[in-house]
Amino acid sequence: MLTRPGGAGGAGGNPRCPAGVHEDAREAGMRVAVFNTKRYDRTFFEAGNADHGHDLVFLEPRLTRETAALAAGFPAVCAFVNDTLDAATLRALAGQGTRLIALRCAGFNHVDLVAARELGLTVVRVPAYSPHAVAEHTVGLMLALNRKIPRAVARVRDGNFSLDGLLGFDLHGRTVGVVGTGQIGTVVARILRGFGCRVLAHDPVPNPACEALGARYVALPELLAAADIVTLHCPLLPETRHLIDAETLGRMRPGVMLLNTSRGALLDTRAVIGALKDGSLGYLGLDVYEEEAGLFFEDRSDRVLQDDVFARLLTFPNVLITGHQAFFTREALTGIAETTLANIAAIERGEPCANAVAAPRAGV
Ligand code: NAI
């Protein structure tokens, strides 16, 4: 459960470092409790740590209020997208000496940032790592759904070479609506332009790089009314929670394809199931799910699935779900490890970290 590769590195003193972090670092190198680690995390973090010499201790359990005790005395904790970083967990960590939360993911919607600020915890993240990984997986889901590739492969394996039910459509000439045109959405737009798609975009902050690709920015209702395919690449924020609900589903074209590789709660899953049942939603591709935290990233194949909503999703022939693997490429894992370890080193040296995440001030 608990493994330490060794390799504590020294660090010079610097008075600008947040209280607690640097003092501990100077004595024993930056000791980092890396929660929720799989074999692949360890591989990429150990490789990246050759440049830093942090004292990494790999822990298998997810971070929760209960497992926080494993990080007693660690100035830094490294956590992933499905770890619990609510006020109670942060209080437990802060109370036993942790001063830095290093997220090895881009999203931070699972962190109680107000509690972190009140507890004096610095939170850093990995804002960008191979946007190609997520964009390419999204397009992979699109193609697999359209051409019914999993079904076709299963048929051929079964000696069934019938084409009935496998009819797809040309992506060329179709209209795709990209919601959120940051790093990932813009790569998706670029790939789809390569297919010959017309790209409509919606983002409160239009991206000139996306416009240069020929994407046209429109209001969300216009995008939803015109798109044959809608793909979500915006973060989960209070204003984007259930962005796709019964009302917005009702604005979409009949038989539309919907993809969500961003965050599960962008969709009201029950409303989506309703649209799948009445046929108005033609295809659904997901890499994320509202209640994925206790479900994904583990082998549960010998257990009874307790989530009835997720179980219902699995019954539709026009739904494809992957278990939050869009980021999972060598390039992305290398980038995640390098940025996380560099973030920790910056804090260790007392330097301002560009990847720090601040809690919104009241009224902002
Ligand atoms: P980014 O920060 O570069 O881009 C997000 C874009 O969404 C920004 O341009 C922002 O202005 C826009 N946005 C904000 N509010 C919006 C709204 N109401 N409507 C439309 N657009 C809005 O983020 P990036 O790197 O492109 O990542 C996008 C999302 O992908 C992340 O927030 C994360 O949730 C998800 N993600 C999923 C991964 C996976 O493995 N499935 C891995 C990495 C990220």
Side-chain angles (χ1 to χ4, degrees), residues 129 134 180 182-184 203-204 233 235 240 261-263 287 324 327:
Y129 53 87
V134 182
Q183 316 213 43
I184 295 168
D203 194 309
H233 301 288
T240 59
T261 58
S262 286
R263 284 293 176 270
D287 186 52
H324 208 139
F327 73 101

Side-chain angles (χ1 to χ4, degrees), residues 199-221:
V199 176
L200 295 179
H202 173 71
D203 194 309
V205 187
N207 183 347
C210 203
E211 273 173 328
L213 291 166
R216 189 163 69 83
Y217 280 90
V218 295
L220 187 61

